[in-house]
Amino acid sequence: SPRSQQTPRSMDTIKAEAIKLIQEGIPQTPQHFQQLTTGFLVAVRGLISATQNSKVMDRFKEFIKPYGLMTLGLYALLAVVSIFLWPVFVLFPGLLIQLLSLIPFWAYKTTKKSHPLVHQQLFMEELKNVDPKIAAEVEKGFTEKKSGSSWINDTIDDTKRSWHFTKYSLILTVFSAIPVIGTIISFVGQTALVANRMGWNIFELYTQDSKHMTYAQEKQWMKANKWIIVGFTLPFALVTAVPIVGPFIVGFAQASAAHLFVEHLYKTPVPKSQ
């Protein structure tokens, strides 16, 4: 019957997407592993520097107010939803772990839309400390108007940016139904996805706000720097998965990113418009 044929096809699609997710999420060459290590080391150095920067700490206090309220609100919402949807969490145990790792991501995205200046200043204060000349160039781009920009085009680009993340998150939810191994796969996979997406979010200040890249340009730029960015964001993504306390490391990730940007990303050219 058409319905019985559709189900195998759907499973084949899920399997194909899962294989693609694994291939994209695992380093393939020694150079990839080297870039991961480099990104991790920059994250450590950047975090130490950012926490010692008094201006960053002042901006962090401004950041923590809206971000903290949003994060705690989402935790409260998850607690309420869990009361009514506990059978779903029993069937898909990895789903709860996924949601805990996604809360910092959602809180970050929401507060960046509502308080964009706070996010910019977190990054810029540390960037000025690392390289004032580059900081001035990036800051100049904030005031330049994006050519050909409209709310329709921006909405389409935002949808494209989020679909990749959402699609694989749903696939990982399906895998979480597999006892034990499924929960592990969903946790590891979701952490990798969050690390990847965190890189997109952190460097939106440069790719979108300063250089006004289209989605296609941003995708190429991120792909060229994928493994060093994931190496940088992965330790932050792991910490943010810790309920209540972990998510607040995100603000320092934003500030610390200035070091990775100056040392490894700034010279990556803006891809040509397609």
Side-chain angles (χ1 to χ4, degrees):
S1 65
R3 180 175 294 181
S4 62
Q5 291 177 356
Q6 185 177 7
T7 301
R9 287 178 182 176
S10 299
M11 289 305 298
D12 288 342
T13 301
I14 291 175
K15 289 178 182 177
E17 292 292 348
I19 292 172
K20 183 179 178 182
L21 172 62
I22 293 171
Q23 290 174 339
E24 290 182 355
I26 297 177
Q28 303 291 323
T29 67
Q31 184 181 12
H32 291 166
F33 284 101
Q34 182 181 4
Q35 291 172 340
L36 280 171
T37 303
T38 300
F40 174 80
L41 294 175
V42 174
V44 174
R45 286 192 287 105
L47 179 60
I48 293 172
S49 176
T51 53
Q52 294 176 345
N53 187 331
S54 60
K55 292 183 178 180
V56 168
M57 295 306 296
D58 288 340
R59 300 306 182 188
F60 182 76
K61 293 174 183 176
E62 297 174 10
F63 163 83
I64 212 67
K65 294 176 183 177
Y67 177 79
L69 287 174
M70 179 59 64
T71 302
L72 294 175
L74 289 173
Y75 278 130
L77 179 61
L78 177 59
V80 173
V81 170
S82 299
I83 296 173
F84 298 98
L85 297 182
W86 65 266
V88 177
F89 292 132
V90 172
L91 181 61
F92 300 101
L95 178 59
L96 182 59
I97 299 175
Q98 284 181 266
L99 291 174
L100 288 173
S101 67
L102 285 171
I103 282 176
F105 166 77
W106 288 330
Y108 180 93
K109 288 292 291 182
T110 304
T111 54
K112 186 177 184 295
K113 292 291 185 181
S114 60
H115 298 77
L117 188 60
V118 174
H119 288 255
Q120 282 185 7
Q121 290 173 336
L122 262 175
F123 179 73
M124 291 305 301
E125 291 295 0
E126 186 64 13
L127 186 59
K128 292 173 183 177
N129 182 48
V130 178
D131 193 314
K133 184 177 180 181
I134 292 178
E137 179 183 332
V138 172
E139 198 165 33
K140 181 181 178 182
F142 293 154
T143 60
E144 295 175 352
K145 188 176 180 180
K146 180 179 178 180
S147 60
S149 176
S150 69
W151 71 269
I152 296 178
N153 291 334
D154 291 343
T155 301
I156 291 173
D157 279 353
D158 283 342
T159 302
K160 290 178 180 177
R161 290 182 181 99
S162 62
W163 170 239
H164 176 89
F165 180 82
T166 304
K167 175 178 67 176
Y168 286 128
S169 292
L170 292 173
I171 291 172
L172 289 168
T173 300
V174 175
F175 270 92
S176 70
I178 304 172
V180 184
I181 186 76
T183 303
I184 296 173
I185 290 174
S186 64
F187 172 74
V188 173
Q190 194 65 54
T191 301
L193 277 177
V194 169
N196 181 277
R197 189 62 205 177
M198 185 183 289
W200 280 70
N201 291 340
I202 285 175
F203 291 107
E204 279 181 0
L205 294 172
Y206 176 72
T207 59
Q208 295 182 41
D209 299 350
S210 180
K211 290 301 182 181
H212 311 293
M213 296 185 198
T214 63
Y215 168 71
Q217 289 176 303
E218 186 180 12
K219 186 177 180 180
Q220 290 182 55
W221 192 89
M222 290 297 299
K223 185 177 181 180
N225 298 294
K226 175 180 178 177
W227 293 110
I228 197 166
I229 291 177
V230 170
F232 174 86
T233 56
L234 187 58
F236 292 109
L238 287 169
V239 174
T240 59
V242 179
I244 308 299
V245 179
F248 296 101
I249 196 71
V250 170
F252 291 117
Q254 181 71 82
S256 304
H259 293 261
L260 187 70
F261 178 71
V262 170
E263 295 176 24
H264 300 281
L265 306 182
Y266 171 68
K267 293 183 179 179
T268 303
V270 176
K272 295 181 179 179
S273 299
Q274 296 181 349

